[in-house]
Protein backbone atom coordinates (compact mmCIF):
# COMPACT_ATOMS: atom_id res chain seq x y z
CA UNK A 1 0.00 0.00 0.00
CA UNK A 2 1.50 3.38 -1.02
CA UNK A 3 2.47 5.92 1.64
CA UNK A 4 -0.17 8.67 2.22
CA UNK A 5 0.85 12.33 2.68
CA UNK A 6 -1.05 14.22 5.37
CA UNK A 7 -2.76 17.51 4.24
CA UNK A 8 -2.29 19.09 7.68
CA UNK A 9 0.79 21.39 8.00
CA UNK A 10 3.30 20.67 10.75
CA UNK A 11 3.62 23.08 13.68
CA UNK A 12 6.73 24.91 12.42
CA UNK A 13 5.04 25.68 9.09
CA UNK A 14 1.93 26.94 10.90
CA UNK A 15 3.98 29.24 13.15
CA UNK A 16 5.80 30.70 10.13
CA UNK A 17 2.49 31.39 8.33
CA UNK A 18 1.10 33.16 11.40
CA UNK A 19 4.18 35.39 11.69
CA UNK A 20 4.10 36.34 8.01
CA UNK A 21 0.35 37.02 8.15
CA UNK A 22 0.80 39.29 11.18
CA UNK A 23 3.50 41.29 9.42
CA UNK A 24 1.29 41.80 6.33
CA UNK A 25 -1.66 42.89 8.49
CA UNK A 26 0.51 45.42 10.35
CA UNK A 27 1.75 46.93 7.10
CA UNK A 28 -1.79 47.23 5.71
CA UNK A 29 -3.08 48.86 8.91
CA UNK A 30 -0.22 51.34 8.93
CA UNK A 31 -0.90 52.27 5.30
CA UNK A 32 -4.61 52.77 6.01
CA UNK A 33 -3.95 55.00 9.02
CA UNK A 34 -1.51 57.03 6.99
CA UNK A 35 -4.15 57.55 4.27
CA UNK A 36 -6.69 58.62 6.91
CA UNK A 37 -4.31 61.18 8.39
CA UNK A 38 -3.16 62.57 5.04
CA UNK A 39 -4.28 66.14 4.46
CA UNK A 40 -5.16 66.94 8.08
CA UNK A 41 -4.20 70.35 9.38
CA UNK A 42 -0.88 70.45 11.22
CA UNK A 43 -0.95 71.44 14.85
CA UNK A 44 -4.53 70.19 15.29
CA UNK A 45 -6.06 73.49 14.09
CA UNK A 46 -9.19 73.52 11.92
CA UNK A 47 -8.97 75.12 8.47
CA UNK A 48 -10.09 78.74 8.46
CA UNK A 49 -13.32 79.86 6.78
CA UNK A 50 -11.12 82.41 5.06
CA UNK A 51 -8.79 79.81 3.59
CA UNK A 52 -7.88 81.04 0.12
CA UNK A 53 -8.85 78.78 -2.76
CA UNK A 54 -5.72 78.12 -4.79
CA UNK A 55 -4.80 75.94 -7.73
CA UNK A 56 -1.69 73.77 -8.07
CA UNK A 57 1.30 75.58 -9.57
CA UNK A 58 1.08 75.72 -13.33
CA UNK A 59 -2.70 75.16 -13.40
CA UNK A 60 -4.45 77.38 -15.94
CA UNK A 61 -7.38 79.61 -14.93
CA UNK A 62 -10.33 77.31 -14.69
CA UNK A 63 -14.04 76.76 -15.15
CA UNK A 64 -16.27 75.99 -12.19
CA UNK A 65 -17.71 72.82 -13.66
CA UNK A 66 -16.78 69.17 -13.71
CA UNK A 67 -14.12 68.12 -16.18
CA UNK A 68 -14.62 64.64 -17.59
CA UNK A 69 -11.42 62.64 -17.28
CA UNK A 70 -9.74 65.31 -15.12
CA UNK A 71 -8.34 67.18 -18.14
CA UNK A 72 -9.61 70.67 -18.87
CA UNK A 73 -9.13 70.07 -22.56
CA UNK A 74 -11.41 67.01 -22.69
CA UNK A 75 -15.03 67.90 -21.94
CA UNK A 76 -16.63 70.11 -19.32
CA UNK A 77 -19.97 69.27 -17.79
CA UNK A 78 -21.72 72.52 -16.83
CA UNK A 79 -22.65 73.08 -13.21
CA UNK A 80 -25.85 74.41 -11.70
CA UNK A 81 -28.13 71.90 -13.42
CA UNK A 82 -29.06 70.19 -10.15
CA UNK A 83 -30.10 71.22 -6.66
CA UNK A 84 -27.84 68.44 -5.31
CA UNK A 85 -24.31 67.47 -6.35
CA UNK A 86 -21.09 66.11 -4.80
CA UNK A 87 -22.98 65.24 -1.60
CA UNK A 88 -24.34 68.76 -1.03
CA UNK A 89 -27.85 70.18 -1.44
CA UNK A 90 -29.09 73.73 -1.90
CA UNK A 91 -32.05 74.27 0.45
CA UNK A 92 -33.87 77.61 -0.03
CA UNK A 93 -36.32 78.85 2.62
CA UNK A 94 -38.68 80.13 -0.11
CA UNK A 95 -38.70 79.94 -3.91
CA UNK A 96 -41.48 82.41 -4.77
CA UNK A 97 -40.92 86.16 -4.82
CA UNK A 98 -43.02 89.15 -5.89
CA UNK A 99 -41.83 90.64 -9.19
CA UNK A 100 -40.15 94.02 -8.88
CA UNK A 101 -39.91 94.12 -5.07
CA UNK A 102 -36.88 93.41 -2.90
CA UNK A 103 -37.16 90.41 -0.59
CA UNK A 104 -34.60 88.46 1.43
CA UNK A 105 -33.48 85.28 -0.29
CA UNK A 106 -32.42 82.79 2.38
CA UNK A 107 -30.93 79.35 1.90
CA UNK A 108 -28.61 76.75 3.38
CA UNK A 109 -26.09 74.35 1.89
CA UNK A 110 -26.58 70.94 3.50
CA UNK A 111 -24.36 67.88 3.49
CA UNK A 112 -25.33 64.25 2.85
CA UNK A 113 -26.60 63.96 6.45
CA UNK A 114 -28.83 67.05 5.94
CA UNK A 115 -26.66 69.12 8.28
CA UNK A 116 -26.07 72.81 7.42
CA UNK A 117 -22.56 73.43 6.12
CA UNK A 118 -20.75 76.33 7.79
CA UNK A 119 -17.16 75.99 6.55
CA UNK A 120 -16.44 77.65 3.21
CA UNK A 121 -13.24 78.82 1.56
CA UNK A 122 -12.92 82.41 0.41
CA UNK A 123 -12.68 82.31 -3.39
CA UNK A 124 -12.21 85.60 -5.23
CA UNK A 125 -12.68 87.58 -2.02
CA UNK A 126 -16.02 85.98 -1.10
CA UNK A 127 -17.12 82.64 0.42
CA UNK A 128 -20.35 82.58 -1.65
CA UNK A 129 -21.12 83.84 -5.15
CA UNK A 130 -24.82 83.87 -6.07
CA UNK A 131 -25.74 84.29 -9.73
CA UNK A 132 -29.39 84.97 -10.59
CA UNK A 133 -30.85 85.18 -14.12
CA UNK A 134 -34.27 84.74 -15.68
CA UNK A 135 -34.71 81.66 -17.84
CA UNK A 136 -34.72 83.77 -21.01
CA UNK A 137 -31.19 84.85 -19.93
CA UNK A 138 -32.18 88.40 -18.97
CA UNK A 139 -31.88 90.21 -15.62
CA UNK A 140 -28.41 88.89 -14.71
CA UNK A 141 -27.28 89.57 -11.11
CA UNK A 142 -24.03 88.68 -9.32
CA UNK A 143 -24.68 88.82 -5.55
CA UNK A 144 -22.73 87.99 -2.39
CA UNK A 145 -24.89 86.74 0.51
CA UNK A 146 -23.82 86.82 4.15
CA UNK A 147 -23.97 83.74 6.39
CA UNK A 148 -25.42 83.48 9.90
CA UNK A 149 -23.89 81.21 12.52
CA UNK A 150 -26.42 78.45 11.77
CA UNK A 151 -25.30 78.26 8.13
CA UNK A 152 -28.21 80.26 6.69
CA UNK A 153 -27.21 82.59 3.87
CA UNK A 154 -29.25 85.72 3.09
CA UNK A 155 -29.19 88.53 0.54
CA UNK A 156 -31.71 91.12 -0.69
CA UNK A 157 -33.06 89.96 -4.05
CA UNK A 158 -35.24 91.73 -6.60
CA UNK A 159 -36.65 89.71 -9.49
CA UNK A 160 -37.28 92.51 -11.98
CA UNK A 161 -39.99 90.72 -13.99
CA UNK A 162 -42.44 87.87 -13.78
CA UNK A 163 -41.29 84.43 -14.84
CA UNK A 164 -39.04 81.60 -13.74
CA UNK A 165 -35.55 82.57 -12.61
CA UNK A 166 -32.49 80.42 -11.95
CA UNK A 167 -30.30 80.97 -8.88
CA UNK A 168 -26.78 79.47 -8.84
CA UNK A 169 -24.83 79.07 -5.59
CA UNK A 170 -21.11 78.94 -6.46
CA UNK A 171 -18.97 77.98 -3.44
CA UNK A 172 -16.12 75.86 -2.11
CA UNK A 173 -16.67 73.68 0.98
CA UNK A 174 -13.83 73.12 3.46
CA UNK A 175 -13.89 69.63 5.01
CA UNK A 176 -12.68 68.79 8.53
CA UNK A 177 -9.37 67.53 7.10
CA UNK A 178 -8.84 70.75 5.13
CA UNK A 179 -9.82 69.33 1.75
CA UNK A 180 -11.73 71.74 -0.49
CA UNK A 181 -14.59 70.87 -2.86
CA UNK A 182 -15.84 73.41 -5.41
CA UNK A 183 -19.56 73.04 -6.13
CA UNK A 184 -22.18 74.91 -8.14
CA UNK A 185 -25.82 74.16 -7.28
CA UNK A 186 -28.90 75.62 -8.94
CA UNK A 187 -32.56 76.13 -8.03
CA UNK A 188 -35.54 77.70 -9.81
CA UNK A 189 -37.26 80.76 -8.33
CA UNK A 190 -40.71 81.94 -9.41
CA UNK A 191 -42.07 85.48 -9.77
CA UNK A 192 -45.82 85.13 -10.48
CA UNK A 193 -47.42 87.26 -13.18
CA UNK A 194 -47.64 87.63 -16.91
CA UNK A 195 -44.42 86.38 -18.48
CA UNK A 196 -43.23 87.68 -21.82
CA UNK A 197 -39.94 85.95 -22.67
CA UNK A 198 -37.43 87.95 -24.68
CA UNK A 199 -35.61 86.41 -27.64
CA UNK A 200 -31.91 85.77 -27.26
CA UNK A 201 -29.93 88.55 -28.99
CA UNK A 202 -27.92 87.58 -32.03
CA UNK A 203 -24.30 86.49 -31.74
CA UNK A 204 -21.85 89.40 -31.56
CA UNK A 205 -18.29 90.00 -30.35
CA UNK A 206 -18.80 93.65 -29.37
CA UNK A 207 -21.27 95.59 -27.21
CA UNK A 208 -21.58 98.84 -25.23
CA UNK A 209 -22.35 99.32 -21.55
CA UNK A 210 -22.05 102.39 -19.29
CA UNK A 211 -20.27 104.43 -21.94
CA UNK A 212 -17.69 101.69 -22.62
CA UNK A 213 -17.20 99.61 -25.74
CA UNK A 214 -16.41 96.01 -24.89
CA UNK A 215 -15.24 93.49 -27.44
CA UNK A 216 -13.48 90.16 -27.46
CA UNK A 217 -11.29 88.06 -29.70
CA UNK A 218 -11.14 84.28 -29.77
CA UNK A 219 -13.17 81.41 -31.16
CA UNK A 220 -14.75 78.93 -28.77
CA UNK A 221 -14.57 75.27 -29.77
CA UNK A 222 -16.34 72.26 -28.33
CA UNK A 223 -14.05 70.21 -26.09
CA UNK A 224 -11.05 72.53 -26.51
CA UNK A 225 -9.72 75.09 -24.03
CA UNK A 226 -9.26 78.34 -25.94
CA UNK A 227 -8.55 81.96 -24.92
CA UNK A 228 -11.12 84.73 -25.11
CA UNK A 229 -9.46 88.15 -24.76
CA UNK A 230 -11.65 91.11 -23.81
CA UNK A 231 -10.79 94.77 -24.46
CA UNK A 232 -12.68 97.57 -22.69
CA UNK A 233 -12.43 101.06 -24.22
CA UNK A 234 -13.79 104.39 -22.99
CA UNK A 235 -14.00 107.73 -24.75
CA UNK A 236 -10.25 108.32 -24.24
CA UNK A 237 -9.09 104.81 -25.19
CA UNK A 238 -8.39 101.76 -23.06
CA UNK A 239 -10.33 101.89 -19.79
CA UNK A 240 -8.33 101.93 -16.53
CA UNK A 241 -9.43 98.54 -15.22
CA UNK A 242 -9.42 97.88 -11.50
CA UNK A 243 -9.45 94.58 -9.66
CA UNK A 244 -12.93 93.44 -8.74
CA UNK A 245 -13.20 90.50 -6.33
CA UNK A 246 -9.47 89.94 -6.73
CA UNK A 247 -9.42 89.83 -10.54
CA UNK A 248 -9.62 92.19 -13.51
CA UNK A 249 -12.80 90.52 -14.70
CA UNK A 250 -15.29 87.74 -14.05
CA UNK A 251 -16.98 85.80 -16.81
CA UNK A 252 -20.11 83.67 -16.46
CA UNK A 253 -21.33 81.62 -19.43
CA UNK A 254 -24.84 80.14 -19.43
CA UNK A 255 -26.08 77.70 -22.04
CA UNK A 256 -29.43 78.51 -23.61
CA UNK A 257 -31.98 75.74 -23.17
CA UNK A 258 -30.89 74.04 -19.95
CA UNK A 259 -29.00 77.03 -18.42
CA UNK A 260 -25.85 74.99 -17.80
CA UNK A 261 -23.38 77.16 -15.87
CA UNK A 262 -19.71 77.88 -16.55
CA UNK A 263 -17.89 80.34 -14.29
CA UNK A 264 -14.56 81.11 -15.93
CA UNK A 265 -11.71 83.05 -14.35
CA UNK A 266 -9.08 85.14 -16.13
CA UNK A 267 -5.33 85.14 -16.08
CA UNK A 268 -4.09 86.93 -12.95
CA UNK A 269 -2.64 89.89 -14.86
CA UNK A 270 -3.73 91.92 -17.86
CA UNK A 271 -2.39 90.87 -21.26
CA UNK A 272 -1.52 94.04 -23.21
CA UNK A 273 -4.16 95.88 -21.20
CA UNK A 274 -6.81 93.23 -21.91
CA UNK A 275 -8.51 90.55 -19.81
CA UNK A 276 -7.87 87.01 -21.01
CA UNK A 277 -10.02 84.03 -20.06
CA UNK A 278 -9.64 80.35 -20.89
CA UNK A 279 -12.95 78.76 -21.81
CA UNK A 280 -13.93 75.16 -22.49
CA UNK A 281 -17.30 74.75 -24.19
CA UNK A 282 -19.12 71.47 -23.30
CA UNK A 283 -21.17 71.18 -26.48
CA UNK A 284 -22.67 73.02 -29.44
CA UNK A 285 -25.38 75.59 -28.93
CA UNK A 286 -25.98 79.20 -27.93
CA UNK A 287 -24.41 80.67 -24.81
CA UNK A 288 -24.91 83.99 -23.09
CA UNK A 289 -21.71 85.54 -21.72
CA UNK A 290 -21.77 87.98 -18.80
CA UNK A 291 -18.52 89.89 -18.18
CA UNK A 292 -18.20 91.82 -14.90
CA UNK A 293 -15.46 94.48 -14.82
CA UNK A 294 -14.69 97.49 -12.65
CA UNK A 295 -13.43 100.94 -13.50
CA UNK A 296 -13.58 104.15 -11.44
CA UNK A 297 -14.88 102.07 -8.50
CA UNK A 298 -18.00 101.07 -10.45
CA UNK A 299 -18.87 97.56 -11.65
CA UNK A 300 -20.33 97.10 -15.14
CA UNK A 301 -21.65 93.97 -16.85
CA UNK A 302 -21.22 93.45 -20.59
CA UNK A 303 -23.39 90.79 -22.23
CA UNK A 304 -22.76 88.76 -25.38
CA UNK A 305 -24.37 85.89 -27.26
CA UNK A 306 -21.95 83.19 -28.38
CA UNK A 307 -23.02 80.55 -30.89
CA UNK A 308 -20.91 77.41 -31.16
CA UNK A 309 -21.62 75.07 -34.10
Amino acid sequence: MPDQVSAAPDRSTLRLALVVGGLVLAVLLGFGLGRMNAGTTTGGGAPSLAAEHTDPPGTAPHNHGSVVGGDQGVAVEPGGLSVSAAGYTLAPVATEFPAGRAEQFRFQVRDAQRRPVTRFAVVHDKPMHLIVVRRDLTGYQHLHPSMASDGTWSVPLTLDGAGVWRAYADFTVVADNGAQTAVTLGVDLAAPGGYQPRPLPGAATSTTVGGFTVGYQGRAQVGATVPLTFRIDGAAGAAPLERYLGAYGHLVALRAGDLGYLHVHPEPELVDGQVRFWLTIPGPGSYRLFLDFQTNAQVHTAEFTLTVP
Side-chain angles (χ1 to χ4, degrees):
M1 182 175 182
D3 294 337
Q4 296 187 9
V5 179
S6 172
D10 59 28
R11 292 185 178 181
S12 60
T13 302
L14 183 60
R15 283 198 299 269
L16 178 60
L18 290 174
V19 170
V20 172
L23 289 174
V24 171
L25 180 60
V27 170
L28 290 176
L29 286 174
F31 175 75
L33 291 173
R35 290 291 299 272
M36 290 175 62
N37 291 329
T40 55
T41 306
T42 57
S48 168
L49 289 178
E52 190 68 29
H53 171 74
T54 57
D55 303 306
T59 301
H62 58 283
N63 304 305
H64 281 191
S66 61
V67 181
V68 178
D71 184 344
Q72 191 177 355
V74 179
V76 173
E77 291 299 325
L81 295 175
S82 174
V83 72
S84 296
Y88 299 98
T89 298
L90 181 61
V93 174
T95 57
E96 185 174 306
F97 297 84
R101 192 173 75 217
E103 296 281 350
Q104 287 290 322
F105 178 45
R106 296 183 175 87
F107 62 92
Q108 290 181 335
V109 176
R110 296 176 181 167
D111 63 16
Q113 287 74 44
R114 304 295 295 167
R115 299 171 302 191
V117 178
T118 58
R119 298 167 61 83
F120 298 84
V122 172
V123 180
H124 295 280
D125 292 349
K126 298 292 181 179
M128 177 69 68
H129 296 265
L130 183 72
I131 304 298
V132 181
V133 67
R134 199 165 68 165
R135 279 202 163 264
D136 60 359
L137 296 176
T138 64
Y140 169 88
Q141 301 177 57
H142 184 166
L143 307 173
H144 301 106
S146 57
M147 189 187 73
S149 59
D150 67 349
T152 299
W153 295 89
S154 61
V155 66
L157 174 63
T158 301
L159 302 182
D160 293 331
V164 178
W165 295 68
R166 189 70 172 172
Y168 304 89
D170 186 344
F171 57 90
T172 298
V173 175
V174 179
D176 290 341
N177 65 357
Q180 298 185 8
T181 304
V183 186
T184 302
L185 302 177
V187 66
D188 280 346
L189 308 177
Y195 171 46
Q196 296 294 328
R198 301 177 191 172
L200 194 68
T205 58
S206 180
T207 189
T208 58
V209 58
F212 296 93
T213 299
V214 184
Y216 74 87
Q217 292 182 328
R219 187 171 183 177
Q221 302 175 43
V222 174
T225 302
V226 298
L228 296 185
T229 303
F230 289 80
R231 179 181 177 88
I232 298 99
D233 288 314
L241 295 177
E242 301 162 352
R243 290 189 182 275
Y244 168 59
L245 300 174
Y248 283 108
H250 291 267
L251 182 65
V252 170
L254 300 177
R255 183 168 60 187
D258 63 1
L259 271 63
Y261 173 99
L262 296 173
H263 192 170
V264 193
H265 297 298
E267 293 190 358
E269 301 297 334
L270 295 174
V271 179
D272 296 328
Q274 302 176 77
V275 190
R276 176 171 292 170
F277 297 86
W278 293 88
L279 174 64
T280 307
I281 291 293
S286 294
Y287 295 79
R288 193 67 170 159
L289 308 181
F290 301 92
L291 172 68
D292 294 328
F293 65 93
Q294 179 173 301
T295 181
N296 298 322
Q298 186 174 359
V299 178
H300 303 272
T301 301
E303 303 181 13
F304 306 84
T305 298
L306 168 68
T307 300
V308 181

